[in-house]
Amino acid sequence: DSGVTQTPKHLITATGQRVTLRCSPRSGDLSVYWYQQSLDQGLQFLIQYYNGEERAKGNILERFSAQQFPDLHSELNLSSLELGDSALYFCASSPTGGDSYEQYFGPGTRLTVT
Amino acid sequence: ILNVEQSPQSLHVQEGDSTNFTCSFPSSNFYALHWYRWETAKSPEALFVMTLNGDEKKKGRISATLNTKEGYSYLYIKGSQPEDSATYLCAFSSNQFYFGTGTSLTVIP
């Protein structure tokens, strides 16, 4: 158990809908990262937040947005969902915003868009 | 999009064998190189983070080296055990994170 929690564990929804994935980092960690793993692709970095501020952005679609709240939990919002958005979404946390720290991954949220 | 390549794609070794994998990455704009161990149906687990050219890290029977000038890192497993069976992922950190597709290791008892 990494100490990072993600809810829900599974989510099934229809095309065109909007969903919110939630992540709570390890106690004391200030940075949260979001990743997507699709069937036909490896792990893709979406976005990083550090202490409430966006720090780095990867291949995140405009239909997707994220935020980190004052209690440091983070939410990833996915809207106008398409079949291709079906994937496993991981959240990870690390102590600071720097790249030289280990990231601790949560168990993931499996999103299925039908 | 930067290219992070891992080789081999998969590997089968006998218990007790030592093995190594390669991660190749761009040698410019380097911040850090991460190695992860990813077992089926679980989440990636951090093994090492390396930042300096020539870095060597070790955790038990697993060790890693880093060459940022030529853009590669090696992961070594000494005396492989069945519980080492997993996918080993590397990630290159520049202004964001770029993952390789992993090396799938199967250790045969």
Side-chain angles (χ1 to χ4, degrees):
Chain A
D1 183 358
S2 66
V4 177
T5 60
Q6 288 186 248
T7 56
K9 200 166 182 176
H10 301 279
L11 198 47
I12 301 174
T13 190
T15 53
Q17 294 299 304
R18 172 189 167 97
V19 297
T20 298
L21 312 184
R22 183 187 167 106
C23 168
S24 293
R26 288 188 326 155
S27 177
D29 283 359
L30 300 178
S31 247
V32 169
Y33 308 78
W34 285 98
Y35 296 94
Q36 179 193 55
Q37 194 211 4
S38 306
L39 263 176
D40 57 349
Q41 290 190 352
L43 212 47
Q44 301 284 323
F45 168 69
L46 296 177
I47 198 163
Q48 177 196 0
Y49 277 83
Y50 170 64
N51 207 20
E53 300 289 326
E54 181 184 306
R55 186 185 175 272
K57 207 165 185 175
N59 301 322
I60 187 165
L61 299 171
E62 282 191 17
R63 301 183 285 109
F64 295 3
S65 65
Q67 53 184 326
Q68 186 179 28
F69 294 86
D71 68 352
L72 301 176
H73 90 271
S74 177
E75 291 180 358
L76 179 68
N77 300 296
L78 316 176
S79 61
S80 302
L81 285 167
E82 302 175 0
L83 294 177
D85 298 326
S86 295
L88 188 52
Y89 291 85
F90 285 108
C91 154
S93 73
S94 72
T96 74
D99 294 348
S100 58
Y101 289 87
E102 293 183 351
Q103 294 182 28
Y104 297 86
F105 278 72
T109 292
R110 183 165 293 283
L111 173 67
T112 303
V113 182
T114 61
Chain B
I1 296 179
L2 299 177
N3 219 15
V4 178
E5 294 184 356
Q6 291 190 245
S7 62
Q9 197 171 4
S10 68
L11 196 53
H12 288 70
V13 301
Q14 293 288 333
E15 182 175 351
D17 286 352
S18 293
T19 187
N20 64 85
F21 331 127
T22 306
C23 173
S24 301
F25 52 86
S27 53
S28 58
N29 294 324
F30 175 88
Y31 288 3
L33 193 283
H34 297 240
W35 279 102
Y36 293 91
R37 181 172 179 275
W38 195 355
E39 289 182 73
T40 304
K42 293 191 177 179
S43 308
E45 175 193 345
L47 287 174
F48 306 112
V49 181
M50 295 183 286
T51 57
L52 298 176
N53 184 45
D55 255 355
E56 292 187 22
K57 295 271 177 109
K58 186 173 180 182
K59 195 181 277 191
R61 295 179 290 98
I62 306 177
S63 60
T65 61
L66 179 67
N67 183 323
T68 60
K69 293 185 178 177
E70 295 181 43
Y72 64 84
S73 175
Y74 294 139
L75 187 81
Y76 302 91
I77 301 179
K78 188 177 175 182
S80 302
Q81 300 295 309
E83 57 265 29
D84 295 329
S85 297
T87 295
Y88 291 84
L89 274 183
C90 70
F92 164 78
S93 165
S94 179
N95 57 346
Q96 53 165 298
F97 295 88
Y98 301 91
F99 282 81
T101 50
T103 292
S104 173
L105 172 68
T106 303
V107 181
I108 304 161

